[in-house]
Amino acid sequence: DTAVSQTPKYLVTQMGNDKSIKCEQNLGHDTMYWYKQDSKKFLKIMFSYNNKELIINETVPNRFSPKSPDKAHLNLHINSLELGDSAVYFCASSQRQHGYTFGSGTRLTVV
Amino acid sequence: GENVEQHPSTLSVQEGDSAVIKCTYSDSASNYFPWYKQELGKRPQLIIDIRSNVGEKKDQRIAVTLNKTAKHFSLHITETQPEDSAVYFCAASKDFNKFYFGSGTKLNVKP
């Protein structure tokens, strides 16, 4: 069983569209995250949820909205997609005193 | 906030040689330092970590050292193999909350 799973793996869409990425973890972790990895491979945190509660909200355009229906799921909705949103988005989860477990990533390409 | 700097950005070594990647951090309150390996097109995976109450940790061919006074930590890979080729990320965290990642080191092990 995949510990942290993201869907879709690839997403190609036109500018201006709205899209969602889903993430689920079966590790029983309390905290989940969204990270963005740009073309230079830099990993930057976007959001973090602990037990469905938003605890980290970095300087991210408000076109990005996370939603956590329960502690095993953290989805990312993006409105009015722009070319600069093209990147790989990683979901991750963690439990206190341990490092992250990352999902396999979603490669978003905005054309 | 925390600032993590990582050097070098690329590193090329001959198979069997050692590789060293260095990171510095700015927040003296950071107390957890994981290292991640990301193979091409795959997710980052935790390979080793160190906590601030330890100066060195070793796991087979991989070791990490931490100098809290100087605020730097390093990854050492001995007897490198072609399968060690990947991008390596260091990170720093205070109390396992937000992880701040370095910019990554692309390691190429030449057979």
Side-chain angles (χ1 to χ4, degrees):
Chain A
D1 281 346
T2 303
V4 181
S5 59
Q6 287 179 235
T7 53
K9 192 168 175 63
Y10 300 96
L11 185 53
V12 181
T13 187
Q14 290 188 324
M15 276 196 311
N17 283 351
D18 303 339
K19 290 293 177 185
S20 292
I21 307 171
K22 296 185 176 182
C23 179
E24 176 182 2
Q25 55 98 2
N26 62 7
L27 298 167
H29 288 173
D30 289 331
T31 309
M32 296 184 72
Y33 310 82
W34 279 111
Y35 272 79
K36 179 180 180 181
Q37 187 172 45
D38 60 25
S39 57
K40 294 184 179 178
K41 300 295 185 185
F42 188 67
L43 277 162
K44 185 169 167 51
I45 191 166
M46 301 173 69
F47 302 103
S48 173
Y49 271 73
N50 183 276
N51 278 321
K52 302 192 299 176
E53 188 177 335
L54 180 66
I55 57 171
I56 294 173
N57 185 351
E58 290 294 287
T59 308
V60 176
N62 57 16
R63 298 181 294 103
F64 291 78
S65 54
K67 280 190 173 52
S68 182
D70 55 61
K71 78 171 195 176
H73 295 84
L74 179 61
N75 304 323
L76 183 65
H77 188 75
I78 315 170
N79 289 329
S80 304
L81 278 155
E82 300 177 358
L83 292 176
D85 298 332
S86 296
V88 180
Y89 292 84
F90 283 101
C91 176
S93 71
S94 72
Q95 193 72 321
R96 283 190 64 78
Q97 310 299 317
H98 292 286
Y100 291 173
T101 300
F102 280 94
S104 55
T106 296
R107 182 174 294 277
L108 172 65
T109 304
V110 182
V111 297
Chain B
E2 175 66 276
N3 181 41
V4 178
E5 294 192 356
Q6 184 172 345
H7 300 280
S9 56
T10 58
L11 179 59
S12 192
V13 299
Q14 207 65 40
E15 183 178 357
D17 288 350
S18 295
V20 180
I21 302 170
K22 298 181 179 182
C23 289
T24 61
Y25 61 99
S26 59
D27 187 352
S28 56
S30 289
N31 54 13
Y32 176 67
F33 307 91
W35 285 88
Y36 285 82
K37 175 183 180 182
Q38 186 177 25
E39 296 176 359
L40 189 63
K42 297 194 175 177
R43 74 190 78 191
Q45 291 199 293
L46 179 69
I47 55 171
I48 195 167
D49 56 11
I50 192 166
R51 300 174 193 212
S52 58
N53 59 349
V54 176
E56 184 173 357
K57 184 176 177 181
K58 192 172 180 181
D59 183 3
Q60 299 182 339
R61 296 185 297 108
I62 293 173
V64 58
T65 58
L66 171 65
N67 183 328
K68 283 192 298 183
T69 304
K71 295 205 283 271
H72 67 69
F73 55 114
S74 300
L75 178 71
H76 304 253
I77 307 174
T78 57
E79 300 171 27
T80 53
Q81 300 166 3
E83 51 265 39
D84 294 331
S85 296
V87 179
Y88 291 81
F89 293 94
C90 64
S93 163
K94 178 187 169 189
D95 298 332
F96 299 88
N97 289 323
K98 195 160 47 172
F99 283 20
Y100 294 87
F101 283 88
S103 51
T105 296
K106 185 174 182 180
L107 174 64
N108 179 34
V109 180
K110 294 178 285 187

